Amino acid sequence: MHIIPPGLYRVDVLILISYQMCHFFSIQQLFPIFLNYTPKTTCIDTAKGKVCYDVPKSKCLQYNDFPNICANLTGTALSDCQVEKSHSYYSSAAMEFEIYCRPGWKDFRPAFVQYVGVLIGNIILGYVADQMGRKKTFILSMLIGIPSLSLSATFNSIAAFYFFRALTGIGIAGTMIVGWAYFSELVSPHQRFKLRTFSNWANARIMLTLVALFTGEWRLSSHVCACISLITLAIVYFILPESHIWLRKKGRYAEAEESRKRIAALAGIEFVPMPPPEKVENAEPEKTVNICTVFADPQLRKNILILWLMWFVTGMTAYLTDLCGGDMTKNFWVGQFLSGILLSVVRIIMGFADGYLPWMGRRFVLLCSQSLAIVFFGCVIAFLFAGEKGQWYYTAVYLAAFVFTSIVWEPCYLCASELMPTDVRATSTASCSIVGRFANIGASMLSGLKTIYEPGVHMISISLGLTNVIAAYFLLQETKNCSLDKAGTTAAKTEKATAQEMKDLIDKIDEEDVEKK
């Protein structure tokens, strides 16, 4: 008796699980939220006794003759006040190293050096994956990222901490960009949307928040995350093959057959060889597509430009919303869990709906999600002007704006795979991610506007969102269920992948026979 009956869905399930675990390492992108955490109040023992005070906006915890907020209390009331005001939800690197009190270091926080690493990884690893292969590059990324993550929490030197967080960023770039290209080429075409919905960033965020909650401090959290990430490395190294789509595109047909044979064995189905394409006499050699020649083709040029815009807008608005949402609830953990759980539920619902609603394409998801996000950002601004921040309905509309903004990432990733040819897919996706990383850095700078004029933050999100909606409506091509072999070509507009394209690549038997098995 098989736990999962033979069939390609057995491989799809394995890939969905693997990609979810890939996300768990990628979610280190958000770990600076925990690394930079500081409490709103704290207490310190002085010559005059225990003093509790409000942490200043600079987030420097060093006592500087601040007013004692428990000064007028005695007895049990004083004890209760000191316990409450000294409570910290998490023991962070910012608190241990006193980063916010150090000139120079406070201007280059862990998030900054990590994003530098991600940028370097995006620039290098996308090209390497197109040349060396998806699997090898993914493994290399993990071998850089996992040890660096653990080592970043090993030494007591702030310089070593920053250095290894930068190296961790390189590994994150590999799992985010090369990982998506690798797993999306292995999974069945009709399951590609589910790869972005069931195996999602929100689930990984919940997992990371659980690790942080139970460990309670950043060093142990880092070590635990590194150990869990070894699961992904083991699955890819020992079980999954290289992308047969990439191998065939490179003309390595014998290796592609071995990859397909491995998939057939994992699926528990009979393997039927696929001969290499017949050589046509006097046929023009296929042109190699790279990131430079993309701009020579009008269709590919339009595709890459609209992708860059989508990634910039989403990278800016999603990060701005996340970065400025720490105080949408009074309890730090409640806000983190609500953000992850709600987004995960919505994505899973979309994953089911995608299979039953053929009209729910990439354009539809982007246009609807971005438009709804704009509406909810407008509600957030209205409540801020009305002085209703902190009320349950403010939290509700803020969460809605966050969720619908985050959902726009799905068509961003899917279109990055489905609008560009295999030869340049990882490189073009890496270029999109670079644009997104610059948008993240810009968002981190603009988030300071919150302390000056908070509605302005969300006005920026509305303006960018409107730009995204207009551009997508007029320029974005629908790619749902397209064949990745034909992606980025004229044939892709009319030639869609069948629900069993992956099956055809393995054994060429009829769909009805597959379902009987």
Side-chain angles (χ1 to χ4, degrees):
M1 180 179 178
H2 300 286
I3 297 177
I4 302 179
L8 274 177
Y9 37 85
R10 178 190 288 183
V11 179
D12 289 335
V13 169
L14 176 61
I15 294 171
L16 289 172
I17 294 172
S18 302
Y19 191 53
Q20 181 60 72
M21 296 308 300
C22 172
H23 272 310
F24 180 75
F25 184 78
S26 300
I27 204 65
Q28 283 296 313
Q29 187 78 338
L30 294 183
F31 195 54
I33 293 175
F34 299 94
L35 292 174
N36 293 333
Y37 169 79
T38 55
K40 294 181 179 180
T41 60
T42 189
C43 299
I44 188 173
D45 290 320
T46 67
K48 299 179 180 180
K50 197 167 194 176
V51 176
C52 298
Y53 56 93
D54 292 315
V55 175
K57 289 184 178 181
S58 66
K59 295 188 176 183
C60 176
L61 297 179
Q62 291 179 357
Y63 179 65
N64 188 20
D65 199 27
F66 298 117
N68 185 356
I69 53 181
C70 298
N72 298 324
L73 301 175
T74 58
T76 304
L78 175 61
S79 301
D80 292 342
C81 178
Q82 291 175 343
V83 170
E84 178 186 353
K85 301 304 180 183
S86 61
H87 174 70
S88 176
Y89 289 107
Y90 191 71
S91 179
S92 69
M95 296 166 65
E96 179 179 331
F97 290 120
E98 296 185 335
I99 293 174
Y100 291 105
C101 304
R102 295 179 177 229
W105 292 105
K106 66 179 181 180
D107 298 320
F108 300 97
R109 299 168 191 171
F112 175 83
V113 295
Q114 180 171 301
Y115 284 129
V116 170
V118 174
L119 270 174
I120 294 172
N122 287 160
I123 294 169
I124 297 174
L125 295 176
Y127 174 79
V128 172
D130 281 333
Q131 301 302 314
M132 192 173 75
R134 316 302 199 211
K135 180 175 178 176
K136 290 180 181 178
T137 308
F138 183 84
I139 291 173
L140 175 64
S141 302
M142 296 292 282
L143 290 177
I144 294 173
I146 294 176
S148 298
L149 173 58
S150 185
L151 289 171
S152 70
T154 301
F155 301 99
N156 291 323
S157 165
I158 187 172
F161 166 61
Y162 273 50
F163 174 74
F164 285 113
R165 287 308 301 187
L167 289 182
T168 303
I170 296 177
I172 292 171
T175 55
M176 290 178 69
I177 303 305
V178 182
W180 167 245
Y182 177 53
F183 290 111
S184 67
E185 290 175 359
L186 287 179
V187 77
S188 302
H190 61 292
Q191 304 290 2
R192 209 175 292 139
F193 191 83
K194 295 181 178 64
L195 189 66
R196 289 291 306 164
T197 52
F198 290 107
S199 302
N200 63 60
W201 187 265
N203 291 340
R205 180 173 185 158
I206 296 170
M207 294 167 65
L208 177 64
T209 305
L210 283 171
V211 170
L213 176 63
F214 285 111
T215 56
E217 59 99 10
W218 73 277
R219 290 184 183 272
L220 184 56
S221 297
S222 299
H223 293 311
V224 171
C225 288
C227 290
I228 294 175
S229 297
L230 289 172
I231 298 173
T232 314
L233 180 61
I235 292 174
V236 173
Y237 186 84
F238 292 108
I239 300 177
L240 295 178
E242 177 60 273
S243 164
H244 52 82
I245 293 178
W246 178 82
L247 289 168
R248 288 184 68 84
K249 202 71 177 180
K250 293 296 181 180
R252 296 159 61 174
Y253 299 110
E255 294 175 65
E257 289 297 280
E258 290 300 317
S259 175
R260 292 175 50 248
K261 189 181 296 184
R262 178 61 176 165
I263 294 175
L266 292 172
I269 58 179
E270 182 182 355
F271 170 73
V272 176
M274 173 187 283
E278 296 181 2
K279 293 184 179 180
V280 181
E281 294 184 4
N282 300 324
E284 293 185 5
E286 183 178 351
K287 295 180 180 179
T288 301
V289 183
N290 55 52
I291 198 63
C292 295
T293 56
V294 161
F295 282 88
D297 184 294
Q299 182 62 43
L300 293 182
R301 182 170 63 246
K302 184 184 78 170
N303 290 350
I304 194 67
L305 290 176
I306 187 64
L307 283 171
W308 284 352
L309 176 64
M310 289 163 55
W311 280 68
F312 180 83
V313 171
T314 310
M316 179 72 78
T317 55
Y319 195 67
L320 261 180
T321 309
D322 214 351
L323 195 62
C324 297
D327 58 351
M328 64 178 167
T329 55
K330 293 182 180 179
N331 186 297
F332 175 73
W333 298 115
V334 170
Q336 295 302 310
F337 278 118
L338 279 177
S339 299
I341 292 172
L342 186 57
L343 182 57
S344 179
V345 170
V346 172
R347 280 177 166 165
I348 289 173
I349 292 173
M350 289 179 62
F352 280 113
D354 180 66
Y356 292 98
L357 303 175
W359 47 265
M360 198 177 81
R362 315 312 186 211
R363 291 180 78 255
F364 179 85
V365 172
L366 187 148
L367 292 172
C368 287
S369 299
Q370 190 74 77
S371 299
L372 287 170
I374 292 170
V375 171
F376 285 114
F377 277 127
C379 294
V380 170
I381 293 173
F383 286 139
L384 286 173
F385 279 126
E388 300 296 326
K389 183 177 179 180
Q391 300 298 323
W392 67 268
Y393 37 86
Y394 172 85
T395 301
V397 296
Y398 198 99
L399 282 171
F402 164 76
V403 167
F404 286 111
T405 299
S406 299
I407 287 174
V408 181
W409 277 121
E410 310 316 311
C412 284
Y413 272 92
L414 289 164
C415 290
S417 283
E418 296 170 346
L419 284 174
M420 305 306 294
T422 303
D423 308 64
V424 74
R425 186 170 297 129
T427 304
S428 61
T429 305
S431 73
C432 291
S433 184
I434 291 171
V435 172
R437 297 291 78 78
F438 276 116
N440 293 163
I441 294 171
S444 66
M445 297 170 65
L446 288 172
S447 64
L449 180 62
K450 180 179 178 180
T451 60
I452 303 171
Y453 184 64
E454 188 168 359
V457 173
H458 308 296
M459 290 176 183
I460 293 172
S461 295
I462 289 176
S463 300
L464 291 172
L466 285 170
T467 304
N468 209 20
V469 168
I470 295 170
Y473 182 82
F474 289 105
L475 300 175
L476 183 62
Q477 174 186 331
E478 182 54 67
T479 58
K480 182 174 181 177
N481 289 334
C482 77
S483 170
L484 287 186
D485 280 332
K486 302 294 183 181
T489 65
T490 305
K493 297 180 181 180
T494 56
E495 186 171 329
K496 296 289 183 179
T498 66
Q500 294 294 328
E501 181 190 51
M502 283 286 287
K503 183 62 182 174
D504 294 336
L505 289 172
I506 294 177
D507 61 2
K508 294 184 176 180
I509 65 175
D510 294 336
E511 183 177 344
E512 291 79 11
D513 293 332
V514 177
E515 294 174 347
K516 289 179 182 177
K517 291 184 178 182

